[in-house]
């Protein structure tokens, strides 16, 4: 899977560079990596001076971890395989399984979590549970027509892949930290960044992997 | 004071087509504010459209009409240069009348 | 404003008289509104209640009433475009009703002779629901309905 | 369970994602068609006109402690010239020694010509129920006066070009609890969030389509929204802190997106979900 992603990134970057070149004439093509690093650091500094804390959101949200920094740096150019591997390895190490060994919670609660985009915004009440907003990017239960396409369809996720222990563990790990499998994935790291609680993670995994879940109808 | 409406009245065949946008919150009275207090309903209840002092449309609205309401309809007759006059009244007794020249 | 006076005023020439009274300073604008806004009808929650408040019986389904420029799916329930045309002869009024809104009646439009029984406006819908176009013609009521789905938009939060 | 190795799991995943039945696919096609019809039906009457009218009146009226109108406000094409001005913004203003977008320039005129304090001028940058924004009304009016004009941001001007390049970097900056960057949602073709199409702003075509239709009346809010609002609310949803109105980053990103949209025919204020 990562190989496909790399190809896509490479193609995207080539397009962008070509267009940028057309806009600037030679300006871009002659930019050295030193210039680029300087631009990067100026942009980061400018960003940090342009926000203010509001509600539950403090300025430390702009402090990048290594994964974020690398994914930003390589967003507009091919992601070298060595960097991708570094990112995936580091994120894989963060995946934790529940102490009770149970990965499947309540799919009904999982559906609510998948529908909700609440949480961690300046406008959100931090005392209320956060959602995962899965439908923003993925198709899941067929009754919900308003689904996004940033991520692949997860309709019949468990049914197509089999309700195996191995697959349940994969689903858990993927929701927990998507960067473990796909460097610079667009998907938030719901477990690693503590966006969802352990129980919520179980409920979302149930939505994907419980044969009774409408996702698998 | 309420803001003006935006009225367009155009001759189309043997009719006059009226399109109007009104400036109004159309608050339902069902919503709560950040403190959990109900925001009181505030909405247009009556809309009357006249052409040469003849009523060509007379509407009653509830709070389910969308914010900044839009209305479009046609009446027979009407000539370029004549006036179409629209008045709305809301549940706070605020009222607004605007006129447009038929084009 | 008491009911009798309202009826008397209505009987005595409806809005024209009311407007004269208002112009003469006999009535404040609020009185005009109170006389002309059917609170009972706008408070109703079911079709039966609405029909009762409007003073009509059970409406007859009609193929002569059509929706135009009205989508099957609304991208946002805060603004749902509704267009209604009536080909029922002697159409006197058109009303828009939303089955699953907190109150069923959204709007009524009296259509005087000379005005085309066709109009479009925009309403709010709290959720996916049937929307009814209720037409009064020659004293009788006719109805057509259409389901409009309301979808959740954007980032959902 | 601790000995379980997710990497092996990943290898074991057979990508058998052909699970979309024909029925579901058909339903989705009609959903997209119906949403297109919905958008079409909205075009008939755009409440943005109400803001344009209010902004136009405001433009000519004496305001602020100095009781001066915007007649001397230079949006880059000479004092008081509104026609076509929006299509050339952001641009470098020597008097302010800064690259400015429309909203920051309006505030600059309110402060420097009308004598308002910065705090007063930026008190209501984004309107809401019961608090109307003068800036939104003025932006509606001014942008409306560029309808049909080709977007032409001076990327050959060094200050503007610098902001463009910085904005491009920021567009790809990942951060926050959710690792989101602008590019997360706006870096690929043909994507949707829920049912909303997401323009790919890294392509000229995507940037043109998106940028040329702001400001816009948002039916979900019943408000006229400016591009400053668009950026602010994107960052809110990115789980970032609050983007300061008129901040350097907001100008840099606007310069990047406007610059990419160069050549498009300006078509705002529009009406959007």
């Amino acid at each position: 899977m990562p190989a496909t992603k790399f190809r896509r990134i490479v193609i995207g970057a080539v397009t962008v560079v070509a267009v940028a070149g057309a806009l600037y004439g030679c300006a871009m093509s002659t930019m050295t990596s030193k210039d680029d690093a300087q631009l990067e650091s100026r942009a980061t500094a400018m960003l940090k001076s342009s926000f203010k804390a509001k509600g539950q959101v403090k300025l430390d949200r702009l402090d990048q971890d290594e994964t974020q920094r690398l994914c930003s740096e390589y967003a507009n150019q091919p992601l070298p395989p060595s960097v991708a591997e570094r990112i995936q390895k580091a994120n894989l190490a963060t995946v934790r399984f529940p102490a009770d060994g149970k990965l499947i919670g309540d799919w009904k609660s999982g559906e609510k979590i998948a529908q909700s985009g609440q949480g961690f915004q300046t406008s959100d009440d931090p005392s209320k549970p956060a959602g995962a907003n899965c439908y923003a990017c993925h198709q899941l239960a067929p009754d919900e027509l308003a689904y996004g396409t940033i991520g692949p369809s997860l309709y019949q996720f468990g049914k197509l892949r089999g309700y195996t222990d191995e697959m349940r563990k994969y689903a858990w790990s993927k929701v927990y930290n998507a960067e473990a499998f796909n460097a610079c994935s667009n998907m938030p790291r719901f477990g690693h960044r503590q966006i969802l609680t352990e129980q919520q993670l179980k409920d979302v995994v149930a939505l994907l992997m419980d044969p009774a879940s409408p996702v698998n109808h | 004071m309420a803001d003006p409406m935006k009225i367009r009245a155009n001759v189309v065949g043997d009719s006059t087509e009226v399109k109007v946008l009104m400036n109004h919150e159309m608050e339902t009275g069902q919503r709560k504010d950040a403190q959990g207090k109900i925001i009181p309903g505030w909405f247009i209840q009556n809309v009357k459209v006249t052409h040469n002092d003849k009523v060509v449309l007379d509407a009653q609205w509830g709070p389910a009409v969308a914010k900044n309401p839009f209305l479009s309809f046609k009446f027979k007759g009407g000539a370029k240069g004549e006036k179409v006059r629209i008045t709305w009244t809301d549940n706070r007794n605020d009222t607004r009348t605007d006129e447009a020249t038929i084009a | 404003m008491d009911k009798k006076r309202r009826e008397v005023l209505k009987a005595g020439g409806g809005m024209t008289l009311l407007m004269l009274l208002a112009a003469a300073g006999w009535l404040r604008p609020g009185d005009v509104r109170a006389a002309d806004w059917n609170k009972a009808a706008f408070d109703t929650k079911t079709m039966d209640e609405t029909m009762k408040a409007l003073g009509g019986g059970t409406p007859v389904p009609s193929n002569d009433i059509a929706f135009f420029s009205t989508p099957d799916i609304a991208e946002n329930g805060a603004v749902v475009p509704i267009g209604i045309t009536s080909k029922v002869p002697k159409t006197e009024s058109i009303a828009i009703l939303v089955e699953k809104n907190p109150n069923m009646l959204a709007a009524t439009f009296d259509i005087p002779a000379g005005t085309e029984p066709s109009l479009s406006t925009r309403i709010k819908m709290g959720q996916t629901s049937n929307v009814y176009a209720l037409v009064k013609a020659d004293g009788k009521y006719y109805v057509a309905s259409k389901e409009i789905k309301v979808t959740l938009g954007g980032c959902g939060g | 369970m601790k000995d379980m190795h997710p990497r092996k799991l990943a290898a074991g995943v057979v990508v058998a994602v052909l699970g979309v039945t024909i029925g579901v696919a058909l339903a989705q096609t009609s959903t997209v068609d119906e949403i297109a019809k919905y958008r079409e039906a909205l075009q008939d009457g755009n409440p943005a006109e109400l803001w344009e009218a209010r902004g136009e009146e405001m433009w000519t009226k004496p305001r602020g402690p100095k009781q001066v109108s915007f007649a001397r406000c230079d949006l880059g094409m000479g004092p008081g010239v509104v026609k076509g001005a929006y299509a050339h913004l952001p641009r470098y203003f020597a008097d302010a020694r800064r690259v400015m977008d429309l909203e920051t320039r309006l505030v600059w005129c309110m402060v420097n010509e009308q004598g308002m304090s910065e705090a007063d001028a930026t008190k209501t940058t984004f309107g809401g129920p019961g608090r109307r924004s003068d800036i939104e009304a003025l932006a509606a009016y001014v942008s409306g006066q560029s309808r049909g004009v080709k977007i032409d941001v001076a990327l050959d001007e060094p200050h503007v070009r610098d902001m463009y390049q910085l904005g491009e970097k920021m567009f790809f900056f990942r951060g926050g609890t959710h690792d989101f960057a602008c590019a997360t949602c706006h870096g690929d073709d043909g994507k949707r969030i829920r049912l909303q199409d997401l323009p790919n702003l890294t392509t000229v075509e995507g940037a043109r389509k998106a940028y040329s239709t702001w400001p816009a009346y948002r039916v979900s809010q019943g408000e006229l929204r400016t591009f400053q609002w668009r950026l602010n609310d994107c960052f809110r949803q990115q789980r970032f802190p609050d983007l300061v109105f008129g901040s350097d980053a907001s100008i840099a990103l606007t310069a990047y997106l406007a610059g990419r949209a160069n050549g498009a025919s300006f078509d705002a204020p529009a009406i959007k979900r």
Side-chain angles (χ1 to χ4, degrees):
Chain A
M1 234 177 339
T4 327
K5 171 82 179 175
F6 297 158
R7 212 169 301 132
R8 198 176 52 72
I9 289 171
V10 172
I11 291 164
V14 169
T15 316
V16 168
V17 170
V19 172
L23 268 172
Y24 296 139
C26 308
M28 277 293 279
S29 53
T30 56
M31 188 183 258
T32 64
S33 64
K34 197 183 150 207
D35 291 342
D36 194 62
Q38 200 203 16
L39 192 65
E40 186 100 39
S41 74
R42 281 178 61 218
T44 303
M46 189 181 272
L47 257 183
K48 290 191 174 184
S49 70
S50 294
F51 285 83
K52 60 176 190 286
K54 186 179 174 185
Q56 62 177 302
V57 184
K58 307 289 179 275
L59 289 172
D60 61 10
R61 291 275 176 98
L62 299 168
D63 297 336
Q64 294 175 306
D65 71 2
E66 201 203 16
T67 299
Q68 291 174 333
R69 192 181 55 74
L70 288 169
C71 291
S72 303
E73 193 183 328
Y74 288 101
N76 213 355
Q77 53 184 300
L79 185 63
S82 62
V83 177
E85 196 161 326
R86 199 166 121 204
I87 290 170
Q88 290 180 195
K89 203 175 157 194
N91 283 285
L92 193 56
T94 71
V95 177
R96 298 282 175 277
F97 290 92
D100 65 5
K102 293 199 178 82
L103 299 182
I104 304 285
D106 171 14
W107 67 260
K108 289 195 186 92
S109 160
E111 166 71 12
K112 286 195 192 106
I113 295 164
Q115 289 281 3
S116 167
Q118 292 275 324
F120 299 91
Q121 300 171 115
T122 54
S123 50
D124 289 327
D125 177 351
S127 71
K128 294 203 173 120
N133 215 9
C134 311
Y135 283 103
C137 302
H138 296 283
Q139 181 183 33
L140 290 128
D143 282 354
E144 179 53 85
L145 299 176
Y147 62 81
T149 59
I150 297 170
S153 171
L154 303 177
Y155 175 56
Q156 298 188 329
F157 183 90
K159 193 177 182 179
L160 289 173
R161 293 168 177 82
Y163 304 112
T164 62
D165 197 34
E166 189 185 335
M167 194 49 64
R168 279 190 284 272
K169 287 172 192 166
Y170 169 70
W172 172 278
S173 307
K174 178 82 182 179
V175 176
Y176 196 98
N177 192 337
E179 300 278 349
F181 308 100
N182 181 4
C184 303
S185 162
N186 284 328
M187 182 164 148
R189 296 170 282 176
F190 291 103
H192 175 54
R193 302 303 301 253
Q194 295 177 304
I195 297 165
L196 298 180
T197 64
E198 187 178 276
Q199 185 56 49
Q200 285 183 308
L201 289 167
K202 291 180 178 188
D203 295 342
V204 170
V205 173
L207 183 68
L208 296 170
M209 289 301 295
D210 187 332
S213 160
V215 167
N216 292 316
H217 286 179
Chain B
M1 240 348 253
D3 278 334
M5 293 173 237
K6 193 92 192 179
I7 307 172
R8 286 208 175 86
N10 291 299
V11 173
V12 179
D14 58 355
S15 297
T16 298
E17 182 179 53
V18 180
K19 287 184 182 181
V20 56
L21 284 161
M22 304 170 191
N23 231 309
H24 207 284
E25 284 295 328
M26 299 302 286
E27 190 60 57
T28 59
Q30 313 264 353
R31 295 196 313 148
K32 288 177 182 163
D33 64 15
Q35 283 75 44
K37 239 176 58 191
I38 294 269
I39 305 168
W42 178 28
F43 55 95
I44 292 173
Q45 292 188 317
N46 289 92
V47 179
K48 193 176 294 285
V49 187
T50 56
H51 165 242
N52 294 341
D53 294 328
K54 178 187 179 293
V55 175
V56 290
L57 193 75
D58 189 353
Q60 296 181 43
W61 287 356
V65 170
K67 181 175 176 178
N68 297 318
F70 169 75
L71 172 65
S72 164
F73 72 101
K74 283 182 201 165
F75 64 86
K76 288 263 180 301
K80 282 182 187 174
E82 292 178 350
K83 303 274 193 211
V84 168
R85 198 177 159 86
I86 305 182
T87 299
W88 60 249
T89 309
D90 70 18
N91 67 326
R92 291 185 185 172
N93 292 348
D94 198 359
T95 184
R96 168 97 214 175
T97 299
D98 289 286
E99 253 183 14
T101 304
I102 299 173
Chain C
M1 186 175 200
D2 81 317
K3 214 173 180 179
K4 265 193 186 141
R5 189 167 145 232
R6 191 189 306 170
E7 278 160 10
V8 169
L9 288 170
K10 280 266 185 205
M15 280 313 289
T16 319
L17 176 58
L18 275 177
M19 282 164 85
L20 284 170
L21 289 170
W26 291 11
L27 287 169
R28 289 173 294 117
D31 293 328
V32 175
R33 167 183 59 82
D36 204 32
W37 195 68
N38 191 340
K39 184 177 187 308
F42 280 101
D43 281 347
T44 59
K45 300 196 188 300
T46 67
M47 185 64 126
D48 284 353
E49 283 173 28
T50 312
M51 293 312 299
K52 214 166 139 190
L54 292 173
T58 309
V60 180
S62 170
N63 291 330
D64 290 332
I65 305 167
F67 289 91
F68 68 92
S69 302
T70 308
D72 292 351
I73 299 175
E75 197 173 12
N76 196 286
V79 179
V80 183
I82 305 280
I84 297 170
T85 296
S86 168
K87 291 207 171 85
V88 186
K90 297 187 185 171
T91 292
E92 299 160 27
S93 77
I94 296 174
I96 304 169
L97 288 75
V98 184
E99 190 171 22
K100 289 191 181 158
N101 270 3
N103 298 109
M104 206 166 173
L105 184 60
T108 69
F109 299 86
D110 286 348
I111 314 281
T115 295
E116 290 183 22
S118 175
L119 53 91
S120 66
T121 186
R122 292 165 186 176
I123 61 165
K124 299 180 197 124
M125 290 177 65
Q127 56 181 305
T128 296
S129 168
N130 277 320
V131 174
Y132 296 99
L134 181 71
V135 167
K136 187 183 184 188
D138 207 14
K140 294 193 195 73
Y141 282 93
Y142 303 87
V143 72
S145 76
K146 173 186 175 75
E147 189 191 52
I148 299 178
K149 288 195 173 77
V150 174
T151 61
L152 246 184
C155 307
Chain D
M1 210 170 252
K2 273 180 194 139
D3 56 351
M4 209 276 309
H5 204 291
R7 187 196 294 275
K8 278 186 189 149
L9 289 178
V13 175
V14 182
V15 190
V17 195
L18 296 166
V20 183
T21 66
I22 287 167
V24 171
L26 282 179
Q28 196 55 32
T29 313
S30 71
T31 300
V32 171
D33 287 351
E34 282 303 321
I35 292 289
K37 264 192 227 166
Y38 171 86
R39 291 176 190 155
E40 181 64 35
L42 288 181
Q43 300 306 318
D44 199 23
N46 183 352
E49 288 183 33
L50 300 168
W51 273 256
E52 287 181 60
R54 190 157 64 88
E56 181 170 13
E57 204 194 339
M58 220 176 279
W59 185 264
T60 51
K61 272 200 178 151
R63 304 170 87 248
K66 291 192 195 161
Q67 283 298 292
V68 171
S69 78
F70 283 97
R72 288 202 328 240
C73 180
D74 186 352
L75 299 176
M77 302 182 76
V81 178
V82 177
K83 199 100 198 145
Y86 191 72
H88 299 273
L89 291 168
R91 71 192 301 156
Y92 180 73
F93 288 90
D95 55 8
R97 292 198 202 135
R98 213 189 146 193
V99 177
M100 291 171 144
D101 65 351
L102 173 63
E103 293 95 306
T104 39
R105 188 61 183 175
L106 288 170
V107 169
W108 191 89
C109 288
M110 288 182 205
V111 171
N112 290 278
E113 281 163 15
Q114 299 177 337
M116 293 168 77
S117 71
E118 183 96 23
D120 276 350
T122 56
K123 204 165 73 189
T124 311
T125 49
F126 311 134
R131 25 180 203 101
R132 298 198 305 185
S133 164
D134 289 356
I135 293 171
E136 283 173 345
L138 288 162
Y141 165 60
V142 173
S143 61
Q145 295 298 304
S146 280
R147 235 187 227 106
V149 179
K150 289 244 185 304
I151 297 173
D152 185 14
V153 175
L155 294 177
D156 50 358
E157 197 285 325
H159 300 89
V160 175
R161 190 176 62 219
D162 188 44
M163 285 303 247
Y164 175 102
Q165 289 177 332
L166 288 163
E168 183 174 33
K169 285 285 178 203
M170 291 174 198
F171 187 85
F172 295 99
F173 181 93
R174 284 190 179 219
T177 48
H178 287 55
D179 303 334
F180 290 152
C182 304
T184 306
C185 288
H186 297 291
D188 254 322
D189 283 337
K191 299 291 185 192
R192 288 195 330 236
I193 190 157
R194 289 278 185 175
L195 286 176
Q196 278 70 57
D197 297 320
L198 294 164
N200 180 355
L201 301 176
T202 65
T203 67
V204 169
E205 192 198 354
R208 282 180 171 178
K209 209 173 149 196
Y211 190 81
S212 65
T213 51
W214 285 97
Y217 181 79
R218 284 296 297 264
V219 303
S220 49
Q221 310 185 19
E223 298 286 345
L224 184 291
R225 294 310 193 191
T226 62
F227 203 70
Q228 278 282 335
W229 177 88
R230 175 62 284 170
L231 292 173
N232 182 283
D233 207 55
C234 273
F235 279 120
R236 179 182 67 81
Q237 292 167 103
Q238 274 174 246
R239 274 72 183 174
F240 278 39
D242 192 35
L243 180 67
V244 175
F245 187 87
S247 58
D248 286 340
S250 74
I251 309 285
L253 278 161
T254 304
Y256 171 60
L257 296 167
R260 287 200 86 47
N262 264 352
S265 180
F266 195 73
D267 190 22
I271 183 166
K272 291 169 190 267
R273 174 193 73 81

